[in-house]
Amino acid sequence: MQEYGEVKVNVDTVLFTLKDDRLHIALAPRSAEFKKDEMALVGAMMDGNRHKSLEDVVRQSLKDKAGLDKVYFEQLQTFSGTTSPDGRPRDIRWPSITVAYIALVPVEALQSKSAIERGLTLLPLADVGELPFDHNRIVSVAISRLRGKGAWSTLPGHLLKPNFTMSELNDVYNKVLGQKIDKANFRRKVLEHGMVVSVGQKVWREGYRPVEHFKLNDKVSTIDIRL
Amino acid sequence: MQEYGEVKVNVDTVLFTLKDDRLHIALAPRSAEFKKDEMALVGAMMDGNRHKSLEDVVRQSLKDKAGLDKVYFEQLQTFSGTTSPDGRPRDIRWPSITVAYIALVPVEALQSKSAIERGLTLLPLADVGELPFDHNRIVSVAISRLRGKGAWSTLPGHLLKPNFTMSELNDVYNKVLGQKIDKANFRRKVLEHGMVVSVGQKVWREGYRPVEHFKLNDKVSTIDIRL
DNA sequence: CTAATAGTGTCTTTTAGACAATATATC
DNA sequence: GATATATTGTCTAAAAGACACTATTAG
């Protein structure tokens, strides 16, 4: 049997949030020696001694680099090879693959003291410059997934805090998809398909008619309609 | 810095074909010492010395275990953890992750002498029994993907040899989805969305009207309609 | 009353799906 | 002509989308 060559397993998360009415992604300074302090996706190398699963790595790196605790995330895609399709080199140090994740949080979660102390930075999509390794490629795949319409998903809903109004949810979809969806049609479809459930309380605000509050129905992750 | 624990990278491919009007998957006897000769998904461990990318591993294992050469495949999902959601243990030897792929081939490709000599076996979905590791879980995710309707994909088309008639393509979709799609509507949608392109020749067969032949349009991988 | 947002009703247009009709070949 | 498959046409039902209308609060 020939000598077996180790392959390192990286885990990188594209952390999205909605701020000032625009999508942003969060970047953290690298902690490893190589390219230390360069701004990059939140990530870590998987360690067989410490991590039981890939999700463990995601949770740990979100905790360590962004001070986050209970975050919604899902697997995006796994990347490999020496160069990315966009021509950028991946990790030149050793053979490796990268399992990428998408995470979504309300912006408040990223404004904690711990997040700021760690140097976490929010950038509007348009302002994300050149990132190390194949991170630009990963970001672009993540954006496509987030905007992927074919089947709607509850994904954008995770950018809101748990209790939201229909208008707020509508707004998030408008921002993420970059197009206005009629409020009447939006409400009907979202309710018909059980994407959200009422939290059973009206809320009064200054000056206006009270609103019903909703939360995501975690039993439904995609609804088979298009916009 | 603590001791870093190596994580092995497996690559497994769910190899689909259509035989006797039913979907089958191909299993190969394991070549590694552990669980040697048990029937399992076509796969291999990624070796940093030999493989530049995950796709290299897929191609190499399809070649070595099924005698296949130019096969359509795409990434499915990456699995990790000590136990699968179905309760079955994953690899107990060492920390590992598995990057799973789906491949689709016309059945003729699997009836080569080399494939048979290597012990490659075709099983109808219903007859796939208990597989080693988390392979049953991987198979079930693969089937969901293949049947995933929301947006149509060209996926099932790869079960056919390059030049096919509209009826043959229609048939494959019927078999894969398990439901009859009206031939008139099928033809229209597939053509309107450019999923296939005419290969520009009519073909005569015994006794009947000649047929136009088509091939998949590799620029189109999903068309945004539902059935 | 007005202002402002919440929520409903209804019409139009598009698309899916069923199914009938016609076309082109062999025998 | 009969038979078999290929291809097109048309109608119906369902869904998407536009937009006007009503409702409920504060002031």
Side-chain angles (χ1 to χ4, degrees):
Chain A
M1 180 171 170
Q2 276 185 253
E3 175 85 11
Y4 163 88
E6 179 177 358
V7 178
K8 308 265 191 193
V9 176
N10 295 117
V11 176
D12 285 314
T13 301
V14 184
L15 179 55
F16 286 104
T17 197
L18 199 56
K19 186 188 158 195
D20 306 333
D21 288 354
R22 283 187 301 171
L23 266 182
H24 288 60
I25 65 173
L27 300 177
R30 278 179 56 80
S31 52
E33 277 311 316
F34 189 63
K35 294 183 188 260
K36 192 169 179 67
D37 293 328
E38 279 188 42
M39 297 306 283
L41 293 177
V42 174
M45 189 175 294
M46 185 170 181
D47 176 344
N49 294 333
R50 266 181 295 216
H51 306 297
K52 290 269 178 250
S53 68
L54 291 160
E55 290 74 25
D56 280 353
V57 191
V58 176
R59 275 185 288 267
Q60 197 230 59
S61 57
L62 286 174
K63 178 76 180 164
D64 292 353
K65 301 206 170 174
L68 290 171
D69 240 323
K70 286 180 204 125
V71 174
Y72 178 82
F73 62 87
E74 60 182 53
Q75 192 180 300
L76 177 63
Q77 194 181 302
T78 300
F79 298 85
S80 68
T82 51
T83 49
S84 194
D86 60 10
R88 310 281 308 286
R90 291 187 65 260
D91 200 327
I92 55 170
R93 291 169 292 174
W94 41 53
S96 74
I97 68 170
T98 298
V99 187
Y101 283 78
I102 286 185
L104 301 155
V105 289
V107 67
E108 293 80 6
L110 297 176
Q111 290 165 336
S112 65
K113 208 165 67 178
S114 69
I116 294 161
E117 280 168 3
R118 289 169 229 254
L120 197 78
T121 308
L122 298 184
L123 281 178
L125 295 190
D127 300 356
V128 176
E130 195 153 299
L131 300 175
F133 310 114
D134 56 342
H135 287 192
N136 285 291
R137 160 82 175 155
I138 296 173
V139 168
S140 97
V141 174
I143 294 171
S144 310
R145 163 80 65 95
L146 186 58
R147 296 206 169 129
K149 291 199 295 183
W152 274 23
S153 79
T154 56
L155 219 42
H158 293 278
L159 292 166
L160 289 173
K161 281 178 288 180
N163 283 10
F164 45 80
T165 70
M166 205 44 94
S167 310
E168 286 165 346
L169 188 64
N170 199 160
D171 253 26
V172 172
Y173 277 82
N174 291 343
K175 303 279 163 51
V176 169
L177 300 176
Q179 91 190 252
K180 262 210 153 67
I181 306 166
D182 181 272
K183 61 174 180 169
N185 300 331
F186 182 84
R187 163 178 272 265
R188 260 189 298 262
K189 283 173 202 171
V190 157
L191 287 177
E192 274 168 18
H193 289 81
M195 208 172 93
V196 300
V197 292
S198 171
V199 77
Q201 54 181 9
K202 295 261 174 183
V203 175
W204 277 257
R205 286 176 305 170
E206 286 295 308
Y208 312 121
R209 177 178 172 174
V211 215
E212 196 169 1
H213 273 210
F214 299 89
K215 61 185 171 81
L216 291 175
N217 177 359
D218 44 12
K219 281 166 205 135
V220 179
S221 67
T222 54
I223 59 180
D224 186 20
I225 55 173
R226 34 196 159 150
L227 164 70
Chain B
M1 181 174 167
Q2 277 187 255
E3 176 84 10
Y4 163 87
E6 179 177 357
V7 178
K8 308 264 191 192
V9 177
N10 294 116
V11 177
D12 284 313
T13 302
V14 184
L15 179 56
F16 286 103
T17 197
L18 201 56
K19 187 187 158 197
D20 306 333
D21 288 352
R22 285 186 300 172
L23 264 183
H24 287 61
I25 66 172
L27 299 177
R30 278 179 56 82
S31 52
E33 278 310 316
F34 188 65
K35 297 184 187 258
K36 193 171 178 65
D37 292 330
E38 277 189 45
M39 296 306 283
L41 293 177
V42 173
M45 189 175 293
M46 186 170 181
D47 176 345
N49 294 333
R50 265 181 297 217
H51 306 298
K52 291 266 178 253
S53 67
L54 291 160
E55 291 73 24
D56 279 354
V57 191
V58 176
R59 274 187 287 269
Q60 195 228 61
S61 58
L62 286 173
K63 178 76 180 165
D64 291 353
K65 301 206 170 174
L68 291 171
D69 240 324
K70 285 180 205 122
V71 173
Y72 178 83
F73 62 88
E74 59 183 52
Q75 191 178 300
L76 177 62
Q77 196 182 300
T78 300
F79 299 85
S80 68
T82 51
T83 49
S84 194
D86 59 10
R88 310 281 308 288
R90 291 186 66 261
D91 199 327
I92 56 170
R93 291 171 293 174
W94 41 54
S96 74
I97 68 170
T98 299
V99 187
Y101 282 79
I102 286 185
L104 301 155
V105 289
V107 67
E108 293 80 7
L110 297 176
Q111 290 165 336
S112 65
K113 211 165 64 178
S114 69
I116 294 161
E117 279 168 4
R118 290 169 228 253
L120 196 79
T121 307
L122 298 183
L123 281 178
L125 295 191
D127 299 356
V128 176
E130 195 154 297
L131 300 175
F133 310 112
D134 56 344
H135 287 194
N136 284 291
R137 160 80 174 156
I138 296 174
V139 167
S140 98
V141 174
I143 293 171
S144 309
R145 161 82 65 96
L146 186 58
R147 296 206 169 129
K149 291 199 294 184
W152 275 22
S153 78
T154 55
L155 219 44
H158 294 278
L159 292 166
L160 289 172
K161 283 177 289 181
N163 283 11
F164 46 79
T165 69
M166 204 44 92
S167 308
E168 285 166 346
L169 187 64
N170 199 158
D171 253 28
V172 172
Y173 277 82
N174 290 343
K175 303 281 163 51
V176 169
L177 300 177
Q179 90 188 254
K180 263 210 149 68
I181 306 166
D182 181 272
K183 60 179 177 166
N185 299 330
F186 182 84
R187 162 178 273 266
R188 260 189 298 260
K189 283 172 202 170
V190 157
L191 287 177
E192 275 168 18
H193 289 82
M195 208 172 94
V196 300
V197 292
S198 171
V199 77
Q201 53 181 8
K202 296 260 174 182
V203 176
W204 278 257
R205 286 175 306 169
E206 286 295 308
Y208 312 122
R209 177 177 171 176
V211 215
E212 196 170 1
H213 273 210
F214 298 89
K215 63 185 171 80
L216 292 175
N217 177 0
D218 44 9
K219 280 166 207 138
V220 178
S221 66
T222 54
I223 58 180
D224 186 21
I225 54 173
R226 36 196 157 154
L227 162 71

